[in-house]
Amino acid sequence: MSGLVRIGIDVGGTNTDAALLRGRDVVATIKTATTADVTAGVASAIRAVLEGSGIGAAQVSAVMIGTTHFLNAVVEGRHLRRVGILRLCGRATHAVPPMIDWPEHLRSIVDGGAALASGGVNFDGSSIARLDTDEIRAACRKWRAAGIEAVAISSVFALVDARMEIEAARIVADAMPDASISLSHRIGRTGLLARESATILNASLHVLGQETVGAFRAAFAGLGLFCPLYLTQNDGTLMGADYAERHPVFTIASGPTNSMRGAAFLTGLNDAAVIDVGGTTTDVGMLVAGFPRVRSEGAEIGGIRTNFRVPDVFSFGLGGGSLIEVSPLAIGPHSVGFRLAEMALCFGGDTLTATDIAVAAGLVALGDPARVRHLDGAFVNAAIKRMKTDVEAVLDRMKPSAEPIPAVLVGGGSVLLEGQLQGTSVSLRPDHFGSANAIGAAIAQVSGEVDRVVSLEGTTRVAALEQIVNDARARAVEAGAVEATVTLAELEETPLSYLPGNAIRIAAKVVGELAA
Amino acid sequence: MTYWTLTESDLDRIAIGVGILGTGGGGSPYQQMLMAKAMLRRGKRIRMIRPADLPPDAQIIGLGGIGAPTVGIEKMEEGGEGVRVLRAIEAHTGRKVDAVLGDEVGGGNGIYPMVTAAELDLPVVDADGMGRAFPEVQMTSFFVYGQASQPAALSDAEGNTLVITNAATPETLERIMRAATVAMGCTACMTTAPMTGDFVRRFGVVHTTSQAWTLGDAVLGARAAKQDPIAAVLREADGSLLMQGKVTDIERRIAGGFVRGSLTVTGLDADAGRCIKVDIQNEYLVATEGDRRLVMVPDLICIVDAETGRPIGTEEQRYGLRVAVIAIPAPPLLRTPEALRAMGPRAFGYDFDFIPFGRSAEARAVAAYTRASGTPSTPLIHSGELP
């Protein structure tokens, strides 16, 4: 990425951060308040960061956006469309119907009727039942009559053999030419119910995906930007706007990942704890080989279980806006949030916040220090110490072992934490710590992932591994990576228990640099 | 005779409880819980019955899942597997099945038989053969006390059904069942030989679904009241808190199809300075402090999240988790010399004998059984021979 100009943007609940990088140099960063109209907020952040850096729009080679927009849509149950659900399963799986574990308020919005149809394969690729064109067409007629415009297709062991999903998509597209179709083998991992739920969510977000990406494109044209647009996805890597439009569900957990990747970039540390202190919450996660450690169980999105791999982050209520109670001393979890600049003592308000404590202790120069001078010195020290020990306790439960490890402090609220944290070899707060999330978006790479159960009958383990890594590479290149830069990031091999040793589950992930 | 008819909220409680009784293994009960809820939403009912209410000549079979968990979450159940197994056993024996149970209360199999029972409107016996989870099918009180090893039956989601009428040895039976399961796509429903009501009353580990419900109710109740779920569990389980602490070391490897290893919990707060090591083979087997063995199989070692009471399986253990290590004495039936030969320390390769922990007692049935149901009770035995 030598010399290329990139803009990274992170749209959070409170702030929208933007960073402009030339090659590996951070040229400018800015922080603006997130607006109800996400696109307008992004446009004004881009305008501000361009002005701040003195670089013209024509020189920008790529813009990367991390957004919670789609996550909020699910959490709030807004902008979701009804979805027709096609499960290819033959007789199997009927005991666990689609959406059975969805919260009722989301199910009633999204459920457009499910068809459990002939199809699906076993772990060894043998078919459970043949695809039945007439059956699928009949389901499509029902959905069309009900005005459904999105269909989610999932097949048993689609990750072993995706051909039935692809063939079913062709039949659906034929019967419902305007429908948006989501296929489970491109969305989730092994585990039918969770993968199907993620596929349904994706289908449900399709209109919002088109509208949002379309609005971003329009805003770009207005700014004179004609470079490619990317969105960051759950694992912190990028997807092109065209792909993002069809896969909005992949953006849903990208926030913490961007901060952690930014922390790695700003410090050069690949193995470290990252402590991201925002306005309301603190997220503590672990960097392993430059990427966030992922949770063993999948992500829950708005109460819906999926099997997306998301960063293993511990969040708790400590941030710059946290409310402080004096007697007895209590910090958070409630926060003044985005109203810090009007409610905090140091800004002329009448609410004692964590930021006021930091100002009184001289950790940061903000607002009017005279307005916090009345705070008792011993009390301020006790509060500073408490915040530090709270973070240290969480840090200890997140660490991989008792060994001291480096810690990176990022986020605007990280000024609350003073000195070296216990259990760390060093505690760093790099330059641009307040914009690590936007920087993480700007430097994001492109990935390809494959998760498949394979039978080793008639093949060897080495050949099976190679095939899966190659498939992952092809996906990375499809997503925009330069082939020569693609390297293996993760390879997970799980022998299936209770089996005579002829089946394994292999999950591979590769990452590469974005094509210029 | 009264039944305990389950609601969805009962299933939420039982799912937590069977997780705790899973002693680290047994598999996640999540999918089975969803299946049972799906039956209730279809208007079916799940009725539990106490072993003491079983007529002596009632015919009972155990139902459970067999296969690879990774396959089970992809090619999920059709729902009729247990029905086919049950019908196949009936056809073979010429005798109607009156009730079902699970051989293993710990983990998903603690809920598994409820789905078939709901479909056929048969009662589920509030008893199992383990009172916990064990790694091998034959580690049940039923088997210890003389359950025949045949006939056995298997059925898969596609309707393939197999009855094994005779196997030379229990090991051969196991081999045949595993091979058949692989041919069935690696996930199936199984049963072993039918038992009489009298046999289950004498040799079943009683009221273990009640126990699971009570544990889950304690956890959910304490959470709702913002009280300590650990204290609530201890009150209800006749259990003892061995220690509260954090996991400071974990060592795991896959060997012979099992997860083996050990984990170390270091005491915090009141337990500061203490350190307990727990051996693992799929489940938590033996807890040691220094050179003193505190608890060992078949007594239960349960590890739960210190804050929420959520059971933590051996596979999700890692450094830094705040946990409570709880011991629950195994019921008397599992502590006899013949039971200990099958499920005591030596059965797991240790060279020492079982030393009991705490006072062994049978679990109590939930109060729901004794509430007047309003409807006249129906006789359990509908017929003897099949028509």
Side-chain angles (χ1 to χ4, degrees):
Chain A
M1 56 172 107
S2 65
L4 291 180
V5 174
R6 296 171 157 204
I7 295 174
I9 297 173
D10 185 276
V11 187
T14 311
N15 291 314
T16 296
D17 287 281
L20 188 145
L21 277 71
R22 186 194 290 280
R24 298 185 68 84
D25 298 327
V26 181
V27 181
T29 59
I30 62 113
K31 199 180 271 293
T32 59
T34 294
T35 52
D37 174 0
V38 170
T39 321
V42 166
S44 72
I46 293 176
R47 199 174 292 118
V49 80
L50 283 172
E51 275 165 18
S53 62
I55 286 175
Q59 288 170 263
V60 178
S61 61
V63 177
M64 289 77 174
I65 301 176
T67 175
T68 53
H69 193 44
F70 298 105
L71 173 61
N72 294 342
V74 175
V75 170
E76 294 164 15
R78 292 188 301 120
H79 308 297
L80 300 176
R81 296 305 170 111
R82 280 201 297 154
V83 176
I85 301 149
L86 178 61
R87 185 194 280 180
L88 306 171
C89 54
R91 289 176 66 171
T93 79
H94 286 242
V96 189
M99 306 181 94
I100 179 156
D101 57 349
W102 283 44
E104 184 51 34
H105 70 281
L106 288 176
R107 199 192 58 70
S108 61
I109 295 170
V110 175
D111 188 0
L116 274 60
S118 184
V121 299
N122 282 304
F123 78 98
D124 60 359
S126 62
S127 85
I128 294 173
R130 299 224 312 260
L131 218 54
D132 181 341
T133 307
D134 293 338
E135 192 181 12
I136 295 172
R137 285 200 183 125
C140 289
R141 275 194 297 279
K142 273 191 197 156
W143 292 325
R144 274 182 72 159
I148 305 275
E149 290 169 341
V151 176
I153 304 177
S154 56
S155 173
V156 175
F157 277 116
L159 301 177
V160 169
D161 186 342
R163 282 176 297 184
M164 285 205 198
E165 281 192 359
I166 293 164
E167 176 59 18
R170 203 190 53 71
I171 298 167
V172 172
D174 196 44
M176 302 171 69
D178 299 326
S180 154
I181 302 170
S182 296
L183 303 182
S184 86
H185 76 278
R186 297 309 301 264
I187 304 255
R189 298 159 55 84
T190 298
L192 179 66
L193 189 67
R195 184 174 72 246
E196 177 181 70
S197 288
T199 310
I200 295 167
L201 269 180
N202 191 66
S204 183
L205 288 163
H206 79 284
V207 171
L208 187 63
Q210 286 161 6
E211 286 174 0
T212 307
V213 174
F216 283 147
R217 286 203 182 98
F220 274 39
L223 290 163
L225 285 168
F226 297 98
C227 59
L229 162 67
Y230 296 91
L231 272 77
T232 61
Q233 46 186 346
N234 299 332
D235 67 354
T237 60
L238 299 171
M239 52 182 169
D242 293 345
Y243 190 78
E245 226 175 341
R246 286 177 285 123
H247 299 95
V249 78
F250 286 156
T251 65
I252 254 166
S254 65
T257 307
N258 287 339
S259 282
M260 294 178 69
R261 294 276 300 150
F265 174 83
L266 290 171
T267 58
L269 291 170
N270 281 326
D271 296 278
V274 177
I275 298 152
D276 182 358
V277 190
T280 302
T281 55
T282 294
D283 292 344
V284 179
M286 291 292 137
L287 279 169
V288 180
F291 284 90
R293 180 177 77 198
V294 295
R295 271 160 56 109
S296 52
E297 65 272 47
E300 206 170 277
I301 299 166
I304 299 166
R305 278 206 191 196
T306 72
N307 51 15
F308 289 127
R309 283 149 65 91
V310 293
D312 182 15
V313 167
F314 190 98
S315 295
F316 63 105
L318 171 65
S322 291
L323 302 185
I324 308 280
E325 276 176 43
V326 180
S327 185
L329 172 62
I331 301 169
H334 297 294
S335 163
V336 296
F338 66 93
R339 299 178 67 194
L340 183 68
E342 45 181 300
M343 291 178 73
L345 292 182
C346 65
F347 293 119
D350 55 8
T351 308
L352 178 59
T353 67
T355 297
D356 298 313
I357 298 289
V359 171
L363 298 180
V364 63
L366 273 178
D368 180 3
R371 293 188 52 87
V372 295
R373 207 161 285 149
H374 66 281
L375 295 172
D376 174 54
F379 170 74
V380 168
N381 285 339
I384 291 284
K385 188 159 177 244
R386 171 74 69 81
M387 291 191 264
K388 196 173 168 194
T389 52
D390 283 356
V391 170
E392 285 165 347
V394 172
L395 183 62
D396 186 56
R397 69 189 288 166
M398 293 298 290
K399 280 166 62 177
S401 75
E403 292 295 306
I405 53 167
V408 185
L409 300 165
V410 296
S414 63
V415 294
L416 301 176
L417 302 173
E418 186 197 19
Q420 185 172 345
L421 295 164
Q422 198 186 344
T424 67
S425 54
V426 58
S427 302
L428 301 172
R429 187 182 299 114
D431 288 345
H432 308 295
F433 63 88
S435 305
N437 48 4
I439 292 165
I443 54 122
Q445 295 170 297
V446 180
S447 72
E449 232 180 318
V450 174
D451 170 10
R452 196 174 293 160
V453 174
V454 292
S455 167
L456 297 183
E457 301 281 341
T459 182
T460 65
R461 183 181 143 270
V462 174
L465 286 172
E466 198 178 297
Q467 177 66 46
I468 281 172
V469 172
N470 282 341
D471 289 355
R473 296 178 72 96
R475 286 198 179 176
V477 170
E478 186 194 340
V482 179
E483 186 151 23
T485 65
V486 174
T487 55
L488 187 63
E490 279 172 36
L491 188 61
E492 229 181 82
E493 216 184 313
T494 322
L496 301 194
S497 57
Y498 295 104
L499 288 182
N502 61 352
I504 52 174
R505 175 178 174 182
I506 303 171
K509 178 172 150 181
V510 301
V511 293
E513 295 300 331
L514 191 60
Chain B
M1 179 194 317
T2 54
Y3 294 112
W4 167 29
T5 304
L6 303 185
T7 62
E8 287 202 29
S9 86
D10 290 331
L11 289 169
D12 288 330
R13 282 157 176 75
I14 291 167
I16 292 175
V18 297
I20 295 174
L21 295 176
T23 56
S28 166
Y30 183 67
Q31 194 164 308
Q32 270 67 38
M33 180 192 74
L34 293 179
M35 286 164 60
K37 285 187 175 178
M39 296 305 285
L40 297 186
R41 288 177 200 179
R42 277 177 49 204
K44 302 284 185 179
R45 58 179 183 173
I46 300 170
R47 293 175 302 152
M48 304 297 302
I49 182 170
R50 284 173 296 201
D53 292 334
L54 289 170
D57 57 345
Q59 181 92 333
I60 296 145
I61 61 168
L63 294 171
I66 179 171
T70 311
V71 173
I73 59 169
E74 186 69 32
K75 188 183 177 185
M76 301 185 292
E77 286 83 356
E78 179 248 357
E81 292 88 342
V83 176
R84 286 188 289 275
V85 155
L86 183 145
R87 294 289 183 235
I89 290 284
E90 285 183 341
H92 174 71
T93 59
R95 175 78 167 79
K96 208 172 149 18
V97 169
D98 301 300
V100 297
L101 56 73
D103 280 328
E104 175 181 48
V105 74
N109 278 338
I111 297 179
Y112 195 98
M114 295 176 187
V115 177
T116 303
E119 185 66 52
L120 299 175
D121 201 27
L122 290 178
V124 182
V125 186
D126 191 350
D128 76 313
M130 300 184 181
R132 48 170 294 156
F134 275 127
E136 292 176 44
V137 184
Q138 77 284 0
M139 290 179 164
T140 68
S141 57
F142 302 130
F143 206 76
V144 163
Y145 296 106
Q147 182 193 15
S149 59
Q150 54 228 357
L154 286 172
S155 184
D156 69 9
E158 294 166 63
N160 300 300
T161 304
L162 173 76
V163 180
I164 301 158
T165 58
N166 192 41
T169 64
E171 292 72 30
T172 313
L173 177 71
E174 165 96 14
R175 269 210 308 281
I176 294 169
M177 301 242 287
R178 293 235 180 265
T181 303
V182 172
M184 288 175 165
C186 278
T187 177
C189 171
M190 64 163 283
T191 181
T192 48
M195 300 172 276
T196 63
D198 176 58
F199 185 85
V200 171
R201 282 162 72 158
R202 287 164 60 204
F203 303 122
V205 181
V206 302
H207 305 147
T208 44
T209 308
S210 283
Q211 187 183 15
W213 184 93
T214 306
L215 293 173
D217 185 57
V219 169
L220 290 183
R223 278 189 208 161
K226 303 221 180 302
Q227 290 167 351
D228 178 13
I230 311 301
V233 163
L234 294 173
R235 256 196 319 275
E236 298 299 338
D238 293 328
S240 303
L241 179 66
L242 293 185
M243 200 171 87
Q244 296 229 35
K246 89 173 175 175
V247 177
T248 50
D249 193 33
I250 170 92
E251 184 257 310
R252 253 178 314 222
R253 62 192 182 280
I254 305 266
F258 297 118
V259 181
R260 291 171 198 265
S262 69
L263 90 118
T264 306
V265 182
T266 303
L268 291 175
D269 306 326
D271 291 317
R274 295 178 58 199
C275 186
I276 287 180
K277 180 169 154 279
V278 181
D279 293 354
I280 296 171
Q281 180 183 325
N282 282 19
E283 285 82 33
Y284 305 118
L285 288 187
V286 177
T288 315
E289 184 168 15
D291 52 9
R292 206 160 60 90
R293 294 184 197 109
L294 301 179
V295 189
M296 61 190 72
V297 278
D299 285 343
L300 285 70
I301 301 166
C302 310
I303 301 187
V304 301
D305 184 294
E307 245 169 74
T308 65
R310 188 180 68 87
I312 302 174
T314 53
E315 286 169 29
E316 44 167 332
Q317 287 287 1
R318 61 175 169 78
Y319 174 89
L321 288 179
R322 261 47 174 189
V323 299
V325 186
I326 293 168
I328 303 176
L333 206 57
L334 301 187
R335 286 177 160 195
T336 63
E338 52 268 56
L340 290 173
R341 266 198 297 280
M343 51 187 80
R346 290 189 189 275
F348 291 88
Y350 291 100
D351 63 353
F352 50 83
D353 290 313
F354 174 69
I355 302 163
F357 176 89
R359 193 180 61 85
S360 179
E362 287 183 347
R364 290 177 296 274
V366 293
Y369 285 110
T370 52
R371 281 181 212 128
S373 62
T375 49
S377 61
T378 44
L380 177 66
I381 304 269
H382 306 287
S383 67
E385 300 299 306
L386 279 181

